[in-house]
Structure formats: C-alpha cells, structure tokens
Amino acid sequence: MICLKDIILLKQGEVVLKGLNRRFFEQKLVTNIRKRLKPMGAFHVYCVQSTVYVEPENADCDLDGAWEACGTIFGIAQMCRCRACEKDLDAIFKTVVEYLGDELAVQKSFMVESKRSDKRFPLNSIQISQDIGGRIAEEFPQVAVDVHNPSYVVNVEVRETAAYVHGPSVPGA
C-alpha cells in the first residue's frame, strides 16, 4: 500500500519555548484539540516533536470541519492538510502527483522543501528535494523550477512512522 491517508499537521507556537513545563502545555493543547474535534467524529490526536497529528479514525470523520476547528485553537502557529505515505521516494512522488497534482499543474513555478527527522532514511533533506523536484519537473514540464521565489512550495516531511506530503502551510490562531 503506497498511500496511507489524509491528516492534519499542527505546528506549535510559543508552547515549544516553555522549557521544563513544555510537556504540560503540549498535553493541555492536545486536550483542547480533542475537545474541539469531538463533534466532528473520532480523531486520533497526539504530539511528536512539537507537531500535533490529527488523524481521522474512520471515514465518517468530518476532516473539513476539523480543519476549520483547528484554525481557531490558540497555541498553533502553522497548520497544513497533508497525505501520509510510505517512506520511499517512489511512494512520495506518487503521493505528490495524486495529492498536489491539480494545484501544481496551474502554477508558474515550484520548489520542493524537505525535512527529514528520521535520520535512518538514506537520503538527506537536500537529496530528497532534488530527487522529488526533478521528478516533478519531468511530470509537469510547463511549471518552472524556482528555488528563490516559487509560486508554490511542495513540502515533504520524512518522520519516524511515515512520510508526509503537503502544500504551503497556513497560519493558525
């Protein structure tokens, strides 16, 4: 299985500056998110490396409603909808095309920005960006590569359990 599922990633704001009390504030933030999402269905909400993951537990969950609700929760600096996939370059590229292809096709330029928190992954962030960016350039020849001022940024995050593909993040509350 190459494509896993759509989820929401929430990047924390000032909470990460709390020092020894940080864990308490992260847990409070996760509790607030769970309360806010309860009317939208069953979501698995957890925090790893200053990022809160919001994963629907079944197909009945209202991901659009959850997205709107997360945008009103204080303590979240950035948020993005993304798709999880296997930690494999072929799977990542396939996910980029399936998940972001329609948005990419209408852009003037793009760049790929990668983050690799799983240091066991054989390529570093620059190599991931180069590989996926080269494949995107071949798939969408009408869209120029522009690493200085792109009209669209493809984000690839290789984390412990999966790789996550998303477009630009939006500010949180």
Side-chain angles (χ1 to χ4, degrees), residues 1-14:
M1 180 168 98
I2 292 190
C3 174
L4 300 176
K5 59 184 168 180
D6 291 0
I7 68 168
I8 300 171
L9 293 181
L10 307 172
K11 312 292 177 142
Q12 296 177 20
E14 309 82 39

Side-chain angles (χ1 to χ4, degrees), residues 115-128:
K115 292 181 182 156
R116 177 190 63 134
S117 62
D118 180 1
K119 301 305 181 196
R120 295 171 296 155
F121 192 75
L123 302 177
N124 64 33
S125 297
I126 294 170
Q127 292 169 322
I128 296 167

Side-chain angles (χ1 to χ4, degrees), residues 5-11 51-53 67 78-85 91-101 103-104 110-116 132 136 152-159 162-171:
K5 59 184 168 180
D6 291 0
I7 68 168
I8 300 171
L9 293 181
L10 307 172
K11 312 292 177 142
T51 300
V52 178
Y53 295 74
W67 173 257
Q78 298 285 320
M79 49 191 276
C80 60
R81 288 178 79 149
C82 66
R83 182 163 292 165
C85 65
I92 292 169
F93 175 67
K94 182 176 183 198
T95 303
V96 167
V97 172
E98 289 176 357
Y99 189 61
L100 302 176
E103 290 179 54
L104 260 170
F110 80 95
M111 72 174 276
V112 177
E113 193 168 287
S114 301
K115 292 181 182 156
R116 177 190 63 134
I132 299 300
I136 292 171
Y152 193 80
V153 178
V154 174
N155 292 279
V156 176
E157 298 184 32
V158 179
R159 295 181 171 259
Y164 300 91
V165 171
H166 62 88
S169 297
V170 299

Side-chain angles (χ1 to χ4, degrees), residues 32-86:
N32 289 342
I33 293 167
R34 285 183 183 137
K35 283 181 189 174
R36 193 71 61 94
L37 298 182
K38 199 167 254 185
M40 282 57 154
F43 288 90
H44 182 52
V45 181
Y46 60 98
C47 181
V48 178
Q49 294 178 330
S50 302
T51 300
V52 178
Y53 295 74
V54 177
E55 299 181 0
E57 292 184 2
N58 55 50
D60 297 336
C61 293
D62 179 7
L63 199 59
D64 292 332
W67 173 257
E68 293 298 320
C70 287
T72 64
I73 300 170
F74 291 106
I76 298 169
Q78 298 285 320
M79 49 191 276
C80 60
R81 288 178 79 149
C82 66
R83 182 163 292 165
C85 65
E86 293 177 10

